[in-house]
Amino acid sequence: MMAAGGADVDAGAPGSRLQPWERESAAQEAAEGVKAGTCTILDVVETLGSSLENGDSRIRARGLQMLSEVLLQCYSVLQEKEVTHLVLFSENRLKDHHTVIPFVLQGLKALSMCAALAPGLAVSVLKAIFQEVHVQSLLQLDRHTVYSIITNFMSSRETELKSLGADFTFGFIQVMDGEKDPRNLLVAFQIVRDIIVKGYALGPFAEELFEVTSCYFPIDFTPPPNDPHGIQREDLITSLRAVLTSTPAFAEFLLPLLIEKMDSDIQSAKLDSLQTLNACCMIYGQKELKDFLPSLWSSLRREVFQTASERVETEGLSALRALSTCLSRSVLSSDDEDILESFLRGILQDCRHHLCEPDMKLVWPSAKLLQAAAGASLRAYYRITSSVFPLLVEQYNKHLQSSQRRTILEVLLGFLELRQKWDPEEEDKSPLLCSKGALCSMVFSALVEPNVQLQLVGIRVLTFLGLLQGLLDHLDVARLVDSLAQFILHEEDSQTSLAAMEAAGTLTPFYPEIFSRCLVRKLSEGLHSELQEESSQFQHDRCLQALAAVSTHPSIMKETVPILLQHLQKVPKGSMQAGIHSVVSVCQSLQQVALQCKKNAQNYWYFHQAVVPCLMGLAVQAAMQENTHTVLSQVLLKEDSLSAMVLVISAACMYLSPELAAQSVSKVVPLFLDGELSFLPGNSFPSTFQPFQVGWDGQHPVATQKKLVALLTAFVCALPRNVPIPQQDRLLRELLALSCSCDCPFTATAAAKCFAGLVNKHPAGPQLDELLGAAMNKLEEGLNEGPRRSQALTLLLWVSKALLLRYHPLASRLTDKLLVLLGDTVLGPAAGDGFALLMADSPDVLGKSCHADVRLMFRQRFFTECVPQLVQGFHTASPGVKANYLKGLSHILNHLPKPVLVTELPTLLPLLLEALSCLDRVVQLSTLHCLQPLLLDAPLVVSLHVDTLVGKFLGLTESPAMAIRIAALQCLHALASLPTPVVIPYKPRVIRALAKPLDDKKRLVRKEAVTARGEWFLLGTPGR
Amino acid sequence: MVGPALAASPAGGVALENANPLIYRRQGERPVTAREEDDELPDAIDDREIFDLIRSINDPEHPLTLEELNVVEQVRVKVNDAESTVSVEFTPTIPHCSMATLIGLSIKVKLIRSLPERFKVDVHITPGTHTSEHAVNKQLADKERVAAALENAHLLEVVNQCLSGRP
């Protein structure tokens, strides 16, 4: 092998006639020989011998190239002695002709990666390079090789290199001085950073090192088009910034540079300087900053006061905060002056008077600067606010216009929000405490002004004051709560009363007693007033909303929940409608309370125990009394009321722990299956409760009892997946039977949903298979004929969805049935609409919040399985039912992720165009919704059909349905974003046609018409 | 041409006339009411609707809208849907603002493009807020001069920039 390898190499050496690939393969072979141990590197060198010493530098270069190629492949197996020889040889070669040098460097790079490098050699290699090679006259690739050698040594021979002292640093400065290539700069910057961070000696060369890197600041680099290296301007900026901000030793050079560049006119230079300043504040102390603070401040101030760009302003402010933070952090020795103090004094001096100027022109920039400085530390915050708060109060009293007062309060609000950054602390020393009286009277006076905006800010200011513990005393808080109560109960503007409720919700946990005494009681009284006219109904709604909003503390919640439950039973005397409205409002409030207490298991359990039995008890009692016709029972049994209760029960069960859920479900299921009433409050139940009993159609009281299955659905379907449901099998069979046998659609749907929800969570196995078999039979039977085909369809939809979500194999059999039904003249339209149910996120039983088993890609799966059949079905269907297929298709497409849709568009677009001409409004609308994003995302495909699209969209702007007109106009707007040459021919036509919807009777339509028409006007004009 | 002042370009490093304008808060989006969502009931064109059309026009000098600069305010917008008339007063940020005509032109163009043709659109300066109020008003009221101004490619570009939404 050695002979063979050697012979090949030999043939390659003098014979420059060998092709490059031949030489490569010779090197490859030799390297493999060395790696396999059949020859040594020494043999290779000896074989190459003549060419390495040849008088012709070109031949020497080739020999060295061959050698370095071999070395690059087999450096890991070399012996220490071999390495030493090769290193000494290479160092010597560095003195050779300049055409040879690149190959010597290649070899050295290979050797620099050797683990077997003897001590001292790294240093000598570097010395030789520093001495013999003028790096910057080499080509880019060879310069890169030098950087690689240095990097390799720095990572493996750190201590040796450090023994060189500052000479190493100086050597490297000379190596990189003048570097221009971005690829090399990234490596060189990394080396400089390592030199500094790893503690190599800088000696007297700190300034040189700074100079050689900072000359690139700010980075001005635009990557060439089609750049294969992918180096972005940002990469260079970050890596240079890491160098410049790596050591405080650079401070005296860097800060003047930054100040100079901040003053530049170029925005990118400003931004880079500000960000760099921000970064170096992380490591600087006040020693470094001290001398430059005045100039830094004046530059920053100028950037914020006279900014033309929001980004510069933001960066300026954050740099100021960084400066202030840095000064706050510094540890003072006893004789040091506190520079933070003098720095902040300067800022206050420059900004204070702007807060006082009568025209208030520079109020916001000044306030932002002050807030940035104050946001650095609690100390800075106290220093600034102790001066600013009294000033704001004074200005508030001086300015009388409400817009000016609002500005002042907003500034104050900004300062108060800042206070949240630090932990609460006794406010005894704080400037807030000193100005508390004045601030409070100012804010309270703002609340009584008629201006809504002023009131809104006032409420927020008060909220923040209230959050500062120990700041407000009892009287202040009582006054605060009174004002909130006033807004909640009597303010006409809903914005203000909502803000007041929100504030109350935030503050209740801090002052539960006062809120209970001053607000909850008033709200409860507000509910007692007789409901006679519309205004008092409005009042009741407010109280109900507010009761929910303040239930953010356990003790308050325990007061409000009983109030709400009690109110549920007080049905107003007026119309049925008012009664239902009242029940729905109470339920909405209860639902909100449930969501607010879901995080605290104990409160949530309290809520569950208080609310669920009560609601069920009321409903059961009402269902039994239905023939006695009390107003309450009639109201409660209305479907709207029941639906509202469903939401409450669901919200009260979703977040239960499995143990508690199991405890509760063991009472609820027997209630429905066996009429076990004992856990319900009250004991005056006049008859038995048997919702699943087969009764006579319609008239039997059982029909109303059956409706309550909706409540059962809400309960059992909201439970976590691992909660065992007692008598599950029996329950499922009852539900299945009920869903297909009941005339009332509400009940049938509730039963179908409950069945589907439980099936979705049911563990796989023979039990489930058997159950699904029974369901299939029921469906076959129900769908074929009979009076209850639509109930069967509902069941089919829900069960399909339940199985589709969990990727159950039976799902496709069910969806096949659904596809067949699209051709049905009676059930077809409903089946088409059903696709929306299949694709949409379920808000209730089959949703994630109800712990349903939902796989991630179910929609895509359904799409690929279903759409080909759907398209085929469309083509073969009779004209009368074609619309059903289009309806199904557009529902599927509407819910599909856009990327999937864009790839499928070319095949589907003709069908969608057909759907636009379909007379069914649902199809029209959902097709428009589906097309609109595609117009923006797939301009190329869409461009081919632009003629048809313009015509159809314009036609639909005259649809009788507002939603369709709006969607059509949105599509026309989107069309304007297609490539100008494609759409410009239609400009006059579209502009003319859109004049008509500008005068549409509906405002929402006019709004879209204005946007679309404006965009078409801009098409093809300058300045677009 | 509408007037010599219009030739001045806002770009190109010329110092801003009013470098530090007072900035006002923008109104939120108009909340959609139940009535507006009802397919049957007609909604009349009201002041707020007109104001919504013009409040987001960009100022030619600043990266701000006319609303943020308080150049237009809802109280200075009057519309009569039945009589098909609109009147808008705008207030230049400073009394000698050379951009006044340009701003007026932008408002006018926006309204012409956005309102049904039946409307007569009147755009003028809030009385007493500009030094050459009368001249500017006259230019804005002259249909032919407005049309001529829009023939000028440079002017059209600036107007379109004001009218195109923020990027």
Side-chain angles (χ1 to χ4, degrees), chain A residues 355-356 385-399 405 408-409 411-412 431-432 434-443 445 461 465:
Chain A
L355 297 180
C356 310
T385 50
S386 64
S387 158
V388 168
F389 284 157
L391 195 67
L392 289 175
V393 173
E394 182 193 313
Q395 289 303 308
Y396 183 89
N397 294 327
K398 208 183 274 176
H399 290 288
R405 293 189 148 186
I408 293 168
L409 282 187
V411 171
L412 173 63
L432 266 170
C434 313
S435 335
K436 186 196 82 174
L439 286 177
C440 282
S441 62
M442 163 171 127
V443 183
S445 85
V461 170
L465 287 175

Side-chain angles (χ1 to χ4, degrees), chain A residues 598-885:
Chain A
K598 69 181 178 191
K599 296 234 173 67
N600 181 322
Q602 214 179 339
N603 297 339
Y604 190 64
W605 181 236
Y606 165 82
F607 181 85
H608 179 89
Q609 282 183 307
V611 172
V612 174
C614 176
L615 289 185
M616 292 209 171
L618 286 172
V620 167
Q621 198 158 21
M624 288 172 178
Q625 291 169 340
E626 208 227 9
N627 44 356
T628 58
H629 296 301
T630 70
V631 186
L632 176 63
S633 55
Q634 280 181 343
V635 165
L636 284 177
L637 291 173
K638 286 284 177 234
E639 282 162 20
D640 289 341
S641 308
L642 286 175
S643 305
M645 287 195 246
V646 159
L647 293 175
V648 179
I649 292 181
S650 188
C653 298
M654 279 180 207
Y655 307 100
L656 282 182
S657 69
E659 300 75 49
L660 294 177
Q663 193 182 328
S664 192
V665 75
S666 67
K667 295 175 189 153
V668 171
V669 172
L671 166 69
F672 281 84
L673 285 178
D674 308 316
E676 196 62 61
L677 297 165
S678 57
F679 88 102
L680 299 180
N683 42 15
S684 56
F685 294 101
S687 61
T688 52
F689 181 58
Q690 292 167 313
F692 287 112
Q693 195 198 50
V694 184
W696 311 293
D697 281 356
Q699 300 315 306
H700 194 275
V702 161
T704 54
Q705 293 190 5
K706 285 184 196 302
K707 276 190 179 177
L708 303 196
V709 170
L711 304 184
L712 173 70
T713 305
F715 190 101
V716 295
C717 290
L719 300 178
R721 234 179 283 174
N722 51 355
V723 175
I725 291 170
Q727 309 182 63
Q728 170 147 300
D729 205 47
R730 183 180 155 210
L731 178 64
L732 280 164
R733 281 169 205 283
E734 296 279 18
L735 287 167
L736 188 58
L738 180 62
S739 69
C740 289
S741 66
C742 182
D743 285 325
C744 164
F746 180 83
T747 310
T749 308
K753 280 167 84 168
C754 193
F755 182 77
L758 293 175
V759 160
N760 177 267
K761 294 179 197 169
H762 200 294
Q767 214 183 356
L768 179 65
D769 296 340
E770 200 188 321
L771 199 63
L772 290 175
M776 289 297 273
N777 290 339
K778 264 276 192 258
L779 283 171
E780 295 284 355
E781 204 178 297
L783 287 171
N784 276 344
E785 55 198 75
R788 302 199 186 87
R789 289 184 71 204
S790 75
Q791 277 88 331
L793 174 63
T794 308
L795 179 66
L796 171 65
L797 284 170
W798 280 100
V799 179
S800 309
K801 169 130 193 165
L803 297 182
L804 192 66
L805 289 178
R806 60 181 277 184
Y807 289 5
H808 193 280
L810 212 58
S812 58
R813 268 182 66 194
L814 293 172
T815 47
D816 285 349
K817 272 190 195 305
L818 201 55
L819 285 168
V820 173
L821 282 178
L822 286 175
D824 188 296
T825 39
V826 183
L827 289 183
D833 282 333
F835 280 81
L837 177 83
L838 289 186
M839 295 297 285
D841 278 323
S842 166
D844 50 11
V845 294
L846 289 174
K848 282 248 170 70
S849 57
C850 286
H851 315 282
D853 184 357
V854 181
R855 302 296 185 85
L856 210 54
M857 309 280 273
F858 79 92
R859 292 192 180 88
Q860 283 89 324
R861 231 174 116 106
F862 183 60
F863 172 80
T864 36
E865 276 177 17
C866 224
V867 166
Q869 299 179 56
L870 202 61
V871 173
Q872 200 195 355
F874 170 80
H875 288 301
T876 53
S878 63
V881 294
K882 271 188 193 292
N884 303 338
Y885 290 87

